[in-house]
Amino acid sequence: MTKALYQQVANSILEQIQSGELQPGARLPSENALSEQHQVGRNTIRHALSELTVKGYVESVHGVGTFVTETLFPKTVEFLYGFSQEMAQRGKNVGSKVIEAKIIQADPLLARVLRIQLGAEVVFLNRLRIVDGKPAAIERAYLPHTFCLGILEHDFSRESLYDVLAVQYNMKPDHAEQEIGAEIATPQVAALMELSHPAAVLVIHRETRTAEGRVIEYVESEFRSDRFRFYTNLKASASSPTAIFQRFPIKSEEE
Amino acid sequence: MTKALYQQVANSILEQIQSGELQPGARLPSENALSEQHQVGRNTIRHALSELTVKGYVESVHGVGTFVTETLFPKTVEFLYGFSQEMAQRGKNVGSKVIEAKIIQADPLLARVLRIQLGAEVVFLNRLRIVDGKPAAIERAYLPHTFCLGILEHDFSRESLYDVLAVQYNMKPDHAEQEIGAEIATPQVAALMELSHPAAVLVIHRETRTAEGRVIEYVESEFRSDRFRFYTNLKASASSPTAIFQRFPIKSEEE
DNA sequence: TGTTCCTACTTGTACCTACATGTTCTATTA
DNA sequence: TAATAGAACATGTAGGTACAAGTAGGAACA
């Protein structure tokens, strides 16, 4: 199964960019030139360039040409790791305490988010994350059980969820979308994180997917706002990851 | 100057979505049907749908149809705009109330962030942002005065700061870095935003730069957490800086 | 009853033409 | 010399055709 022509062209150009053959700011050959080079129609070239534009690799200027994007910041500003890797990379000492780990049934929210049927089995993993000996965050992860049968036999106070998923189930997280909000910690959450009431926490909802687009997990978490900030780069030219918006209310603690 | 046909079509469909005429999950007419309805070629329809797909409003399924997106997380491919443009694009009615606008002297933090000398003149603009008639955010912007002499003569309850910077001073924001945190609103902030105490707010610190890397402004803002979330895409493709980390403490209310 | 196959319909890919619009540079003109 | 007009070339828009590929439902058959 060979890929579509426009993807081949896009890959070819992308390789030239990533190999340094095409430097940032460099001008690509014109669409007509590319059309001749690759022996495909101009539409196909435009399709390929459109893909690269959406992904932020190139920019077109009407009447002038198409250029490799100049990135002050590395293009993909954010990267996706599990909490453990993320913290380990920062030289932090990470621990986890499993509060709850069980199979539950998908409620309407979970069914919609995980793209599974209402009532289907869902792995529920509720952990307190500990950084340098102090409570830092609470993470409630929901995974479709079909993808990871028997996963609860692992001890997630020692093992990393993403490691297990990658090694045992060959499910590698590729991209995710998340929302960041602020809330007053509920008494339960405050107690677990040893916060005095009232305290503000960062509330994050995250959908993690594989490269193929399958939803691996949906995570709700609260981070201690005195220990964490989220950091983002914004860009004006290419498509950029951040936005402000109003959405559904973040649902309160379950049960 | 009338817009391009594909944009007209895209807008027409978008209006149907936003008006609720097309519910999330609903199926759009087929491309051929749309082509007949709007009396344009199928290519033009596909161009319009492609735009809507990139912006996350619709999704196409090969062989089945095109549907209004029903993800929890809309794929907002947003750019770096000022607050006004950002909100206007979402069809919100935006207003501003100038709380304070004056020249101050750079304290050590401002001097460091704005890359200017200690004590240099800084434009300070403190605004209450109003969306759809209700207080939504407080924004305290700091700009090096040398870049924008006389800027305070504008009425920023009507004019957009970014518009004035672009038109009058040719300073176009190109990229920015920001931190997102959570805090309990101070009594002053809570009062301005009509929040009952205690309330959690999203605290954002942002450094905005031109394409050349000059710092245009440093902004501190608080957003009502019941009206805003921040949205981010994460990608795992390469390894580079990460999203979560601890930074310098967000300083408390000045004065 | 249950399975298979075919058909109709959908989106996806690929090519073509034509003209509009914006930019840049060159040659002509005042 | 300086301004202008135009040529050449870039991307943008809009339309056409044809076929590939995926899906769903109904008809035919075992």
Side-chain angles (χ1 to χ4, degrees):
Chain A
M1 187 200 88
T2 53
K3 279 184 183 172
L5 282 183
Y6 80 92
Q7 286 173 331
Q8 291 179 36
V9 173
N11 282 336
S12 156
I13 296 172
L14 185 53
E15 273 170 29
Q16 289 180 58
I17 294 173
Q18 288 178 335
S19 74
E21 199 173 329
L22 282 169
Q23 291 288 323
R27 180 165 144 185
L28 301 183
S30 77
E31 294 175 354
N32 283 320
L34 287 170
S35 176
E36 277 206 14
Q37 271 178 41
H38 292 85
Q39 286 293 302
V40 297
R42 189 178 156 223
N43 276 351
T44 307
I45 296 296
R46 283 184 64 77
H47 196 166
L49 291 179
S50 165
E51 294 285 300
L52 293 173
T53 303
V54 167
K55 290 180 182 162
Y57 291 109
V58 304
E59 295 176 285
S60 293
V61 183
H62 192 171
V64 183
T66 303
F67 303 85
V68 178
T69 311
E70 306 218 40
T71 45
L72 268 157
F73 296 107
K75 189 196 106 40
T76 36
V77 171
E78 317 276 341
F79 297 86
L80 172 62
Y81 292 120
F83 185 90
S84 312
Q85 288 92 332
E86 185 100 28
M87 288 300 130
Q89 217 185 333
R90 303 182 183 288
K92 303 288 179 189
N93 194 349
V94 190
S96 287
K97 188 181 152 193
V98 176
I99 301 170
E100 219 174 347
K102 61 180 179 183
I103 306 291
I104 62 172
Q105 293 192 319
D107 64 17
L109 172 68
L110 287 175
R112 192 164 87 236
V113 172
L114 297 177
R115 274 80 168 163
I116 55 176
Q117 290 202 325
L118 199 66
E121 290 192 334
V122 171
V123 175
F124 171 56
L125 183 58
N126 188 1
R127 287 178 293 178
L128 175 68
R129 299 313 200 106
I130 297 155
V131 176
D132 288 343
K134 285 176 289 186
I138 291 172
E139 250 189 42
R140 293 182 298 281
Y142 301 88
L143 301 87
H145 192 205
T146 48
F147 290 173
C148 50
L149 294 167
I151 199 173
L152 286 184
E153 287 167 20
H154 289 83
D155 174 10
F156 288 110
S157 63
R158 291 187 304 106
E159 288 181 88
S160 147
L161 176 57
Y162 279 18
D163 278 353
V164 171
L165 282 173
V167 174
Q168 295 274 322
Y169 299 96
N170 196 32
M171 301 287 286
K172 270 173 272 182
D174 178 79
H175 57 278
E177 298 177 25
Q178 67 178 20
E179 278 188 345
I180 305 173
E183 276 187 12
I184 302 282
T186 61
Q188 298 94 315
V189 168
L192 279 168
M193 291 211 277
E194 299 173 11
L195 288 165
S196 56
H197 202 72
V201 288
L202 280 159
V203 179
I204 281 105
H205 288 185
R206 172 148 80 164
E207 255 184 69
T208 311
R209 299 204 186 87
T210 62
E212 299 82 38
R214 280 216 299 205
V215 178
I216 300 180
E217 60 158 9
Y218 173 65
V219 181
E220 297 173 342
S221 42
E222 285 94 27
F223 287 80
R224 282 183 61 142
S225 63
D226 58 347
R227 302 192 69 190
F228 290 98
R229 310 254 181 281
F230 281 76
Y231 175 80
T232 323
N233 282 334
L234 309 178
K235 270 190 286 177
S237 40
S239 60
S240 125
T242 305
I244 308 167
F245 69 111
Q246 238 171 328
R247 288 287 295 187
F248 70 97
I250 286 186
K251 81 169 178 182
S252 50
E253 287 302 280
E254 56 275 272
E255 269 112 341
Chain B
M1 188 198 91
T2 52
K3 280 185 183 171
L5 282 183
Y6 79 92
Q7 286 173 331
Q8 291 179 35
V9 172
N11 280 338
S12 155
I13 296 172
L14 185 53
E15 274 170 27
Q16 290 178 57
I17 293 173
Q18 287 178 334
S19 73
E21 199 173 329
L22 282 169
Q23 292 288 324
R27 181 166 147 186
L28 301 183
S30 79
E31 293 175 355
N32 282 320
L34 288 169
S35 177
E36 277 206 12
Q37 272 177 42
H38 292 86
Q39 286 293 302
V40 296
R42 190 180 156 220
N43 275 349
T44 307
I45 296 295
R46 281 183 66 78
H47 196 166
L49 291 179
S50 164
E51 293 287 299
L52 292 174
T53 303
V54 167
K55 290 182 181 162
Y57 292 109
V58 304
E59 291 177 289
S60 294
V61 183
H62 193 172
V64 183
T66 303
F67 303 85
V68 179
T69 311
E70 51 180 340
T71 49
L72 275 166
F73 307 103
K75 200 185 304 172
T76 37
V77 179
E78 293 302 334
F79 299 69
L80 170 60
Y81 291 126
F83 186 89
S84 314
Q85 288 91 332
E86 186 98 28
M87 287 300 131
Q89 216 186 337
R90 299 176 188 289
K92 302 289 180 192
N93 194 349
V94 190
S96 286
K97 188 180 153 194
V98 176
I99 301 171
E100 220 174 345
K102 60 180 181 185
I103 306 290
I104 61 173
Q105 293 192 320
D107 64 16
L109 172 67
L110 286 175
R112 190 170 86 236
V113 172
L114 296 177
R115 276 80 167 162
I116 56 177
Q117 290 203 325
L118 199 66
E121 290 191 333
V122 172
V123 175
F124 171 57
L125 182 58
N126 188 0
R127 286 177 295 179
L128 175 67
R129 298 315 198 106
I130 297 156
V131 176
D132 288 341
K134 284 176 289 187
I138 291 172
E139 251 190 40
R140 294 181 298 281
Y142 301 88
L143 300 85
H145 193 203
T146 47
F147 291 174
C148 50
L149 294 166
I151 198 173
L152 286 184
E153 287 165 20
H154 288 83
D155 175 10
F156 288 110
S157 63
R158 291 187 305 107
E159 287 180 90
S160 148
L161 175 59
Y162 278 18
D163 276 354
V164 171
L165 283 172
V167 175
Q168 295 273 324
Y169 300 95
N170 195 31
M171 301 287 285
K172 269 173 272 182
D174 179 80
H175 58 276
E177 295 180 44
Q178 69 178 18
E179 278 187 345
I180 304 173
E183 278 187 10
I184 301 282
T186 61
Q188 299 94 317
V189 168
L192 279 167
M193 291 212 276
E194 300 173 9
L195 289 164
S196 55
H197 201 72
V201 289
L202 280 160
V203 180
I204 282 104
H205 289 185
R206 172 148 80 165
E207 259 184 65
T208 312
R209 299 205 186 85
T210 63
E212 299 81 40
R214 282 216 296 205
V215 177
I216 300 181
E217 60 158 9
Y218 174 65
V219 181
E220 296 172 342
S221 41
E222 285 96 25
F223 287 79
R224 280 183 63 141
S225 62
D226 57 347
R227 302 191 68 190
F228 291 98
R229 310 254 181 280
F230 281 77
Y231 172 81
T232 322
N233 278 330
L234 308 178
K235 276 182 211 150
S237 33
S239 53
S240 196
T242 27
I244 308 168
F245 70 117
Q246 252 168 317
R247 291 269 293 192
F248 62 89
I250 288 185
K251 81 168 177 182
S252 50
E253 286 303 280
E254 57 273 71
E255 267 115 338

